[in-house]
């Protein structure tokens, strides 16, 4: 959704789908929270009947981990899904061989998620058009820097199945002057498929190793939440559904700014009390930002869901943004240099989001209302000394 005015929040209970069985013709009323509807310009096209075909756009560490779960579920729920799941891999030569060949022969993504065995029914495919051919369920999980290029190709007529549904697992926001949009909304607008959001306390490697965790899906309709729960819910990846697409998207995006602050705290050698204060203040700014600018979003998505408080905690202790921000303080290098040095080809999201959010707040003349976000921006981009992080908060 585009930026909008403040709206009251209504508490409700999220639904746990651990024992889920799906049907593509579910008509029961939504058991999930109310939220903003699909824009009027996009009348939901009917979901195709029959088995669903899943496509995953992105094969970084999170793309590969999500594709693994989806492909395992596609086999387990073979009455609902085609067993073959295709994953878009941006071709790259790794040890003299194309990455797609490596993945399809060894069932390992040696570049981005090494040592994790991927299911044999997960097929790495280098051309986007082939990945989405006949796909009815499309997972978007590229680093947000590259989404526009992907959407450019997918928005050509005839490329996507007309009744397809999409979900975005991308953490970031799109800003244009005084407008702000989630990636779910951007995808929906560009390719015309209703788009849900998936976000949670989900460090890719831990998920891929099968360590228990939770995630939140924000879906525009109950039907979408049943579909996406069936794609992703697993014994060690527990899906809870809410109808707050914006809250789920914004939780994942904004926590990356707070994670940079947490990394500054670590780099400065400050202790647990300071970090806890940063997390509390950060969660407050994340929640208020979403409520102020995204009509219909829910405070409880931040306080109760994996996409809110839980993701904030895991990112501020174990994430890449935290790690790079600590190094920023300790080494004095730029984030570009640190990303190359520490992330082995993976992409940092928090700095870009801090800049986008700063530009948006400045355009809206609301910078003063979000002092932690602004401090992070100034430290990362304007040379403010990291030790001033907590001054005046
Ligand atoms: N890694 C995690 O633990 C994690 C967890 C949850 C959410 N996320 C989110 O998922 C999204 C994807 O992150 P990731 O960790 O899978 O990716 P990543 O950081 O591992 O980045 C690698 C991916 O970027 C692609 N890439 C590199 N250069 C490209 C270019 N020029 N054009 C197109 N693609 C290019 C690579 O092909 C590869 O698929 C991000 O928004 C991230 O915030 C990540
Ligand atoms: O490693 P980060 O900081 O990009 O965080 C990864 C995930 O978003 C954690 O849920």
């Amino acid at each position: 959704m585009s930026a909008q005015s403040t709206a009251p929040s209504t508490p409700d209970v999220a639904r746990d789908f651990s024992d889920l069985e799906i049907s593509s013709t579910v008509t029961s009323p939504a058991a999930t929270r109310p939220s903003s509807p699909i824009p009027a310009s996009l009348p939901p096209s009917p979901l195709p009947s029959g088995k669903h075909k899943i496509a995953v756009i992105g094969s970084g560490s999170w793309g590969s981990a999500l594709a693994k779960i989806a492909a395992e579920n596609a086999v387990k729920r073979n009455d609902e899904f085609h067993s073959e799941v295709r994953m878009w891999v941006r071709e790259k030569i790794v040890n003299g061989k194309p990455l797609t060949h490596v993945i399809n022969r060894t069932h390992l993504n040696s570049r981005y998620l090494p040592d994790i065995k991927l299911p044999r029914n997960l097929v790495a495919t280098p051309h986007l058009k082939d990945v989405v051919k006949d796909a009815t369920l499309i997972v978007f999980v590229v680093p947000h820097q590259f989404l526009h290029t992907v959407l450019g190709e997918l928005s050509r007529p005839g490329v996507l199945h007309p009744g397809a549904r999409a979900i975005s697992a991308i953490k970031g926001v799109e800003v244009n002057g005084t407008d702000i949009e989630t990636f779910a909304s951007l995808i929906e607008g560009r390719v015309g498929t209703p788009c849900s959001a998936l976000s949670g306390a989900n460090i890719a490697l831990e998920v891929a190793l099968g360590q228990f965790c939770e995630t939140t899906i924000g879906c525009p309709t109950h039907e979408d939440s049943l579909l996406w729960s069936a794609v992703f819910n697993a014994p060690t990846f527990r899906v809870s559904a809410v109808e707050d697409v914006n809250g789920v998207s914004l939780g994942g995006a904004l926590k990356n700014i707070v994670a940079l602050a947490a990394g500054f705290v670590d780099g400065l050698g400050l202790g647990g009390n300071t970090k806890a204060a940063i997390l509390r203040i950060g969660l407050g700014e994340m929640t208020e930002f979403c409520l102020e600018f995204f009509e219909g979003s829910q405070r409880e998505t931040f306080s109760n869901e994996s996409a809110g408080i839980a993701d904030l905690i895991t990112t501020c202790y174990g994430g890449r943004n935290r790690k790079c921000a600590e190094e920023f303080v300790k080494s004095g290098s730029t984030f570009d240099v640190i990303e190359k040095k520490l992330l082995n080809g993976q992409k940092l999201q928090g700095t870009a989001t801090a800049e986008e959010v700063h530009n948006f707040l400045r355009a809206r003349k609301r910078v003063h209302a979000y002092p932690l976000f602004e401090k992070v921006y100034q430290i990362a981009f304007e040379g403010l000394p990291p030790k001033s992080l907590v001054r005046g908060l």
Side-chain angles (χ1 to χ4, degrees):
M1 288 307 115
S2 295
Q4 288 166 29
S5 57
T6 314
S9 59
T10 11
D12 202 344
V13 179
R15 182 163 173 194
D16 179 353
F17 283 85
S18 5
D19 300 321
L20 179 90
E21 280 183 28
I22 62 152
S23 155
S24 54
T25 53
V26 168
T27 52
S28 56
T32 44
R33 291 180 195 149
S35 79
S36 39
I38 300 167
S41 56
L42 282 174
S45 32
L47 251 180
S49 55
K51 287 188 183 190
H52 289 291
K53 194 163 188 177
I54 305 166
V56 179
I57 315 277
S59 53
S61 44
W62 190 221
S64 303
L66 279 181
K68 175 176 183 286
I69 296 172
E72 287 166 355
N73 280 342
V75 170
K76 280 188 208 146
R77 297 171 183 158
N78 191 239
D79 51 332
E80 303 283 354
F81 299 116
H82 283 271
S83 56
E84 182 179 290
V85 171
R86 290 194 183 157
M87 174 171 78
W88 179 57
V89 174
R90 186 168 164 269
E91 199 62 286
K92 198 173 181 68
I93 301 299
V94 177
N95 296 330
K97 294 187 181 128
L99 184 55
T100 50
H101 293 203
V102 175
I103 294 175
N104 290 333
R105 281 182 198 153
T106 64
H107 307 288
L108 295 168
N109 184 345
S110 55
R111 182 72 180 85
Y112 294 111
L113 196 64
D115 305 325
I116 300 292
K117 203 76 180 166
L118 299 171
R120 301 180 79 82
N121 59 316
L122 179 64
V123 179
T125 312
H127 301 299
L128 266 174
K129 265 174 89 166
D130 298 335
V131 176
V132 297
K133 190 170 182 313
D134 301 325
T136 48
L137 298 176
I138 301 168
V139 183
F140 285 86
V141 60
V142 289
H144 79 263
Q145 295 89 332
F146 311 124
L147 181 63
H148 278 277
T149 319
V150 166
L151 291 178
E153 206 168 320
L154 296 183
S155 56
R156 292 194 193 126
V159 173
L160 288 186
H161 192 295
R165 295 291 187 269
I167 193 164
S168 166
I170 301 169
K171 295 182 173 176
V173 282
E174 175 85 357
V175 167
N176 273 310
T178 53
D179 285 334
I180 188 165
E181 201 175 14
T182 65
F183 287 122
S185 166
L186 181 77
I187 291 165
E188 203 165 271
R190 289 285 300 279
V191 298
T193 55
C195 190
S196 301
L198 179 150
S199 187
N202 301 144
I203 304 271
L205 179 61
E206 294 174 25
V207 174
L209 285 168
Q211 297 176 8
F212 174 77
C213 69
E214 300 174 307
T215 202
T216 313
I217 52 172
C219 302
T221 69
H222 182 58
E223 194 178 33
D224 289 282
S225 65
L226 290 179
L227 276 170
W228 290 116
S229 297
V231 172
F232 289 117
N233 192 57
T236 59
F237 192 65
R238 191 151 73 198
V239 171
S240 131
V242 296
E243 283 196 23
D244 184 4
V245 183
N246 290 330
V248 170
S249 304
L250 265 289
L254 298 175
K255 62 87 185 167
N256 282 338
I257 307 178
V258 185
L260 293 176
F264 296 150
V265 167
D266 291 339
L268 290 164
L270 302 171
N273 294 346
T274 310
K275 206 192 244 189
I278 292 296
L279 262 74
R280 189 197 68 77
I281 295 165
L283 184 64
E285 291 193 15
M286 290 164 57
T287 311
E288 294 311 317
F289 185 95
C290 197
L291 295 178
E292 177 171 0
F293 299 114
F294 290 82
E295 189 175 4
S297 50
Q298 306 289 312
R299 188 176 288 280
E300 292 72 25
T301 303
F302 292 84
S303 57
N304 297 357
E305 289 295 326
S306 183
I309 175 80
D311 195 9
L312 181 66
I313 294 170
T314 200
T315 309
C316 288
Y317 285 88
R320 299 169 295 187
N321 287 287
R322 186 220 67 80
K323 179 174 162 181
C324 291
E326 178 179 21
E327 179 70 8
F328 177 83
V329 175
K330 286 183 171 166
S331 69
S333 302
T334 64
F335 274 106
D336 283 345
V337 169
I338 294 166
E339 182 186 62
K340 286 194 181 73
K341 181 173 137 194
L342 295 188
L343 296 191
N344 190 29
Q346 295 183 6
K347 290 288 167 195
L348 198 60
Q349 311 281 287
T351 44
T353 304
E355 190 175 26
E356 299 269 20
V357 166
H358 164 81
N359 290 341
F360 169 73
L361 289 172
R362 194 183 49 190
R364 287 290 189 107
K365 301 188 172 33
R366 292 289 292 155
V367 163
H368 60 279
Y370 298 91
L372 180 64
F373 290 173
E374 183 57 14
K375 276 281 173 65
V376 170
Y377 169 77
Q378 289 179 356
I379 292 168
F381 289 95
E382 293 190 334
L384 188 74
K387 63 177 189 298
S388 24
L389 177 70
V390 293
R391 225 172 274 153
L393 274 185

